[in-house]
Amino acid sequence: MSLTTTLTERAAAFVDRRTSRRGFISKTAVVGSALTVAGPTYVMRPGTAYAAVCSCLGRSCDCSSLCCDGYTEFCCALTGENACPPNTLLAGWWKVDNSSYCNGAARYYMDCNKESPACRCGSAGVCRGSDTTCQCRSCGNRKDGCTVFRYGNCNNQVACVGPIMCRVVTCTKPWELEPTCTTVARTDNNTRWHHRACLEPVREPTEGELAFVRALYPDFLGREGEEAGVEGFAEELAKGHGRDVVAWSFAFSDEYTTTVVEGLYRSAFDRAPDADGRAFWSEKLRSGTTPAQLAVVFYASDEFFAASRSNRTTYVERLYEKILGRTPTEAERSRHVQALEGGASRESVAAEVFGSVESRERRVALLYDRFLAREPDPSGQDYWVDYIANGRDIELALYLAASDEYLRRAAARYPNGEPKASA
């Protein structure tokens, strides 16, 4: 999955040392959900089989995932609020009879359609519009912005609306909440068990949720979390937001991208970045450059070559030392040097070494050790070595951080969800 400037800029403000995290994800949950990792469902347990996958709106998901079931996502799963989000309006409703969620009474599902779409509806009163993205924000989300449909029993004075963006659910009759809604009923009992944790009353974070958040700080940011941040993120988990959403907020924060840049500077140049370099390359990461692409730029740079005494043989040897942790064989050294002498660019040589299977195996192993404190199982190793061929290492980090195994390890590292005792 490529990173876009818009998404990463919106996600980058999630983690900040100076700001309390209370309510932050609930205000920007659309971003967190939109950035949830794409790709086949992968259960992080040794020996388990990978699930069969289906194509759901261009996303590869477990065939039984919510993305594939055809219904629209609940608003609270996208925004944190069981209400129509801005730039939408209530355009219709249906009900489920004898709902256990409403103590045997009817439960009402209300569609929030896009307001003022960039299209003409005609007599149907609903249209697609060129300004609406149809998507599943993760395999664990149902689709939004996809269904062009209108029951027509709310806000009929509005002649034209766009597709359904999300739905609100309540035990209260729609016409008691929105005066424009009529009492004309539609029933779909197939949705009887559709539910989200975010529809439940807010509870206190569990010890496991607190431990999970505490573990994310050192694993992504290299430091212990401040209490306001830990409590704020744990509260969002208690509201029903997924662990993957919270982990993503760390992985695409300003602080984490800066940490990545600083690590690459130390690896390639044996020094800390200057202020301008730190700011410039951090912005590059937030704007779509992957860490792998940035690594190639650094290893192919004039500074790296100059530190190799501007000698092609020394340059190749240092590439192997920095990237693979070993000396190249005579055949490897000769092949790369000959390629450089024949006009090949340093970028092409650096990209070949960094993108090699050996490099990817090392990177996968390092991420498993970092997040799960173990070596990858053989099936996981093979899968992820292939998966990160395009430099998508961060997606492996996010899968590992969102796994049940990571949650169990976090609980062992932070018993009772408490911070570590001061030395």
Side-chain angles (χ1 to χ4, degrees):
M1 183 181 70
S2 62
L3 308 179
T4 66
T5 302
T6 300
L7 292 179
T8 51
E9 282 180 351
R10 291 169 64 192
F14 270 41
V15 178
D16 188 303
R17 294 177 191 240
R18 301 175 302 277
T19 307
S20 169
R21 298 279 56 83
R22 294 179 184 276
F24 233 62
I25 297 182
S26 65
K27 297 176 183 176
T28 51
V30 173
V31 179
S33 298
L35 291 175
T36 302
V37 185
T41 297
Y42 179 48
V43 180
M44 294 296 167
R45 295 190 180 92
T48 57
Y50 297 103
V53 296
C54 293
S55 179
C56 307
L57 302 180
R59 184 181 296 277
S60 296
C61 292
D62 181 333
C63 297
S64 63
S65 72
L66 295 180
C67 182
C68 302
D69 80 353
Y71 285 95
T72 303
E73 184 56 272
F74 287 114
C75 297
C76 71
L78 304 181
T79 68
E81 300 292 337
N82 187 32
C84 286
N87 303 314
T88 67
L89 58 77
L90 193 58
W93 63 272
W94 77 95
K95 67 181 175 70
V96 164
D97 292 321
N98 304 313
S99 173
S100 60
Y101 293 110
C102 296
N103 298 318
R107 194 187 199 201
Y108 300 93
Y109 299 73
M110 299 179 285
D111 290 331
C112 300
N113 290 61
K114 182 177 177 62
E115 191 173 21
S116 303
C119 53
R120 295 182 179 180
C121 287
S123 59
V126 62
C127 61
R128 156 73 49 206
S130 59
D131 59 342
T132 303
T133 299
C134 171
Q135 62 189 336
C136 281
R137 298 169 186 251
S138 79
C139 295
N141 284 110
R142 292 185 170 93
K143 63 186 180 179
D144 63 271
C146 296
T147 305
V148 180
F149 178 77
R150 183 177 187 178
Y151 273 119
N153 50 6
C154 290
N155 278 304
N156 287 337
Q157 78 281 2
V158 180
C160 186
V161 297
I164 301 170
M165 304 305 295
C166 59
R167 52 182 165 149
V168 172
V169 63
T170 178
C171 298
T172 304
K173 298 176 177 62
W175 55 91
E176 295 178 0
L177 296 172
E178 169 55 61
T180 69
C181 291
T182 72
T183 58
V184 176
R186 308 286 190 270
T187 302
D188 182 3
N189 286 323
N190 291 321
T191 61
R192 175 180 304 280
W193 304 114
H194 289 194
H195 193 63
R196 280 293 198 183
C198 55
L199 296 169
E200 301 289 346
V202 177
R203 57 173 175 76
E204 290 296 314
T206 65
E207 292 177 355
E209 289 165 340
L210 287 165
F212 170 75
V213 175
R214 291 193 191 282
L216 291 177
Y217 275 89
D219 290 348
F220 277 106
L221 306 183
R223 65 177 178 87
E224 295 298 322
E226 71 284 351
E227 284 305 296
V230 171
E231 291 174 5
F233 279 120
E235 286 172 2
E236 301 308 331
L237 290 171
K239 292 177 183 176
H241 296 293
R243 297 196 303 269
D244 51 358
V245 174
V246 174
W248 197 288
S249 70
F250 280 75
F252 288 95
S253 65
D254 287 339
E255 187 174 351
Y256 181 69
T257 54
T258 299
T259 300
V260 171
V261 169
E262 290 174 344
L264 287 172
Y265 262 83
R266 287 191 295 271
S267 175
F269 308 134
D270 297 313
R271 67 175 177 88
D274 56 277
D276 289 343
R278 181 186 292 107
F280 178 81
W281 292 114
S282 295
E283 178 58 29
K284 283 290 185 183
L285 288 178
R286 290 192 292 272
S287 298
T289 300
T290 67
Q293 291 170 330
L294 186 55
V296 170
V297 171
F298 282 16
Y299 290 126
S301 67
D302 291 341
E303 181 176 348
F304 189 86
F305 190 62
S308 307
R309 302 195 301 275
S310 299
N311 179 280
R312 295 186 180 94
T313 299
T314 305
Y315 172 73
V316 171
E317 291 174 345
R318 290 187 72 237
L319 278 181
Y320 272 72
E321 176 189 347
K322 295 287 189 179
I323 297 173
L324 302 181
R326 66 174 176 86
T327 301
T329 65
E330 186 56 42
E332 290 167 335
R333 182 187 296 107
S334 176
R335 178 168 62 86
H336 291 307
V337 170
Q338 289 178 12
L340 290 167
E341 291 175 343
S345 67
R346 294 197 301 267
E347 286 81 2
S348 65
V349 174
E352 181 179 341
V353 177
F354 193 84
S356 66
V357 171
E358 184 177 351
S359 170
R360 284 180 273 139
E361 287 175 343
R362 281 171 56 84
R363 284 146 51 196
V364 168
L366 285 170
L367 285 172
Y368 265 80
D369 181 67
R370 179 176 180 176
F371 288 95
L372 302 184
R374 67 171 174 88
E375 294 181 354
D377 54 279
S379 56
Q381 173 86 353
D382 292 343
Y383 176 82
W384 287 109
V385 166
D386 179 65
Y387 191 86
I388 67 170
N390 293 325
R392 299 179 292 180
D393 302 44
I394 192 62
E395 298 187 18
L396 169 55
L398 288 166
Y399 270 108
L400 295 173
S403 69
D404 290 342
E405 184 177 346
Y406 182 83
L407 182 65
R408 293 192 294 272
R409 180 170 176 255
R413 292 163 65 189
Y414 296 90
N416 303 317
E418 296 294 326
K420 290 185 176 179
S422 300

